Amino acid sequence: MISVSGLQGSALSLFVAAIARRRRALFIAERSQIDRFYEEIRSIEKRTVLIDEERTWFEPCSILITAPEFVSRPIQVLTQRSFRIDQFIDPEDLLKLLIATGYRREDVVEEEMEFAVRGGVIDLYPPDGQPIRIELFGDKIVSLRNFNAQTQRSVGEIEKCAVRLSAGDEPAILQDLIDKTTLVISDRVHRIGRDNILLAPGGDVRYDLKPAPAYFGDLGKLKSDLFKKEHKYHFLLPYAGLEKRLKSVIGEIEYSVLALREGFVDAKHDTIYLTEYDIFGTATRKKRTYQGLFIDDLLGLKENDYVVHYEHGIGRFRKLTTIDLEDRRIECLQIDYAGTDKLFLPIERINLLERYVGTGIEPRLSRLGGELWLRVKQRVKKSTERLALDLLRLYSIRSQQQGHAYGPDANEMEALKASFAYEETPDQLKAIQDAFRDMESKRPAERLICGDVGYGKTEIALRLAFKAALEGKQTMIMCPTTLLAFQHYNTFVKRLKTFPVRVEMVSRFRSRKELSGILAEIRKGSIDIVIGTHRLLQPDVQFKDLGLMIIDEEQRFGVAQKEKIKNLKPGIDIFYLTATPIPRTLYMALTGLKSISNIHTPPPGRKDVVTRVIYYDQEEIRRIIKFEVERGGQIFFVHNRIQTIENVRRNLTRLLPEIRICLLHGRTRESLTEKRIIEFIDGKYDLLLSTAIIESGIDMPRVNTIIVDEAHNFGLGDLHQLRGRVGRGDEQAYAYFVVGSPEKLTPDAHQRLGALLSYTSLGSGFRLAMRDMEIRGVGSILGREQSGQINTIGYYSYVKMLGESISELRGQKTAPEPVIDLKTDAFFPDKYIPSAYERTALYKRLMNTGSQFELEQIKDEIEDRFGKFSAPVRNLLWLSAIRLKARELGADEVVRKGQQVYFYEQGKTIHQQPKPDFKT
């Protein structure tokens, strides 16, 4: 046995990887550290395997990483199975092996350890690898492709691939699988293997390493230290490309691409090794395929969904069914109406159908053939015409105002971009470009930036405010809570401290004397960026030259407050940031009255928060908190009643006397609130017990678990915001929603919690906003009258009607929805696409296409995901192309007669073309 000491920071990962180049190694580390070591070592040696409670596989490799408690636990033995083009396989055997290995069968593959079967196509997502699409012709593999789990589109052909599958053996013990040649590395002695390296103080082999200096984003100081040339510097960067950002500010550097967390100083060789953590105080996570829902939930229909048919009214979707008519088969949506009335709607008419979203109360079903629905539509139409006139008048006034046209980016902006510690996502970059373009226009900007919690909206706000400051314009950033204002203030001060920009905060955290001085300096114009709550709307807050207004979490502000904001100064640019846009803003964006930027892409490597709904159990809560503390993390515990929160603190102290608890709520003194938050961020407490005041925007990367007490009393948007408070760091995050006994849950609470479990994927905030409307109702979107109109006709139909009214007032003609009869089978066979939900979503997309280019994209996607087209699928795509042509010509009817297709407008032939030459 050899003992080694002095390995500082990530030098231990480098040491283990170097050992493994000569012989296989088993590295046993503390449970709280194994994920970190796995990520680091795997960035150096790809043949690294982690064994824990979830990843229970074993295969030939260079390095095995585990914790002491997993050494003697049974694990599943897997073998590597190779696949290549032209290989013959037994599909049934493969499916059995996938299930035996622990894969879950799903309709759509979105996450690791899932597989799906669609006809001759098998999708599977191996752990720590890219999703694989295997296309078969009989038993022969005719194509192998990787695909993107978000879009479900293939991203490249591959000749062969390897997947770890069950060997069929009984589970084995890890220590029995380790042969005598494996070297065991640990900080304690284990009776495994023949040779051991013990990590202990005063070892036989000693390294003289010290912690690297931390710069916390201060690139000016780093540049200064490099210029002194007192030491050699070597940068350890997680991805190629980051060096360009650093070079643009600090000059030429020597670097290696290694995803390590902690740097170190090697005194013997007078070299300082710096990681991204050391430079920025945080790090870009490993890039990983986005795991989000591919199908838009606003398109697909589930059984018993309420729907609105534009001509027949409110019904209930029952199922997809095929009927035979004149020697051909038609797939229809069966819609049930009042009494025994039924409508069988051909899929080519699906555009006349929308999901019903209203008050949250079950709507009354319409009766087919009655005049009541027609009268309802006429009444709503008049209402939308009046509203459209008011909206257009309001926005035409604003559009005629003269704003400030900002110039192109200055050199300082490039330096600010370089100091951003993360790699921008494509959506984030596009949102920034769109917003900059708005600011560079003379027309006052008004844009909604919608991105889920933690998707980088604050960075966008910071760059917009910086752009305004560079041209002498002041910025007001308004937040719904004092805590969020405090968070933003700290972020802005930290990021902008090396630039000639002054940031201040107006909130309860300021004394009366401090506030008086700040207000005076705002009036003089010596403060560039002012961050605060709605306190900023008081008359005593007066700007010398306000140019930009940013409203964070705009869903928390009322209509009256927003109109007051617009009257602060004519012509200012206004940007709204939100994760769950309220209906009013959403519909104004949908009808084109406000620009919208959607950030769908999460930060690289960001993981979904594991979400659990649990009944109150003291032992379970004790276990959850203990696990998080043991792995070095912190916990939010939310109890939203001030009267009983002290009882909760006493109970937690009794359960876990060793846990350091910080208490916070709306009645806590301002100075004490600020002090406790700073102490919590600095790690002086393990658990922050608070009311829902932490809901808005607090960014604490060490907090990886949130427990929400009495979760059934919260709204869906609130629960989603609370869940978004965790998962900002590298560790897997957990959200536990604690509820009382089942009988105490109302139907609405059941629905809210069920929706939250359904929408755990990243980027689900936008869909949750729509689902929240279905559960709670749309409320007073634009006053009581409009709310009533929406409830009678449904949200989507109302928005559609409002859009038509706006188009008519703008003099734009609304193209009719043509009636098409091609006398041919045109549908997706259920064996081709087994999920009725997916079929309805794709039918809706096909019948909504606005261009031939878009149709070609959908066509490629369908063939990629589901395989070669059969005749009914080819006919369906042809039908969609015919619909596009009809709308282009303004035709209201299309009929096939023999081998010719005729287009009619009010009974007159306006075009004809031959039927394509393929079998029907």
Side-chain angles (χ1 to χ4, degrees), residues 31-63:
R31 184 179 179 182
S32 60
Q33 294 290 308
I34 58 175
D35 282 316
R36 175 255 175 107
F37 282 125
Y38 172 69
E39 295 293 343
E40 289 193 340
I41 294 171
R42 195 168 180 272
S43 76
I44 306 166
E45 172 52 66
K46 296 299 179 190
R47 294 181 303 161
T48 301
V49 170
L50 175 66
I51 297 176
D52 62 9
E53 61 272 292
E54 292 179 14
R55 292 167 163 168
T56 53
W57 59 79
F58 177 91
E59 65 164 7
C61 62
S62 298
I63 305 168

Side-chain angles (χ1 to χ4, degrees), residues 56 76 78 96-103 113 164-167:
T56 53
Q76 188 179 16
L78 302 187
K96 287 176 185 174
L97 284 174
L98 287 169
I99 292 168
T101 307
Y103 281 79
M113 299 299 287
R164 292 185 290 241
L165 294 173
S166 173

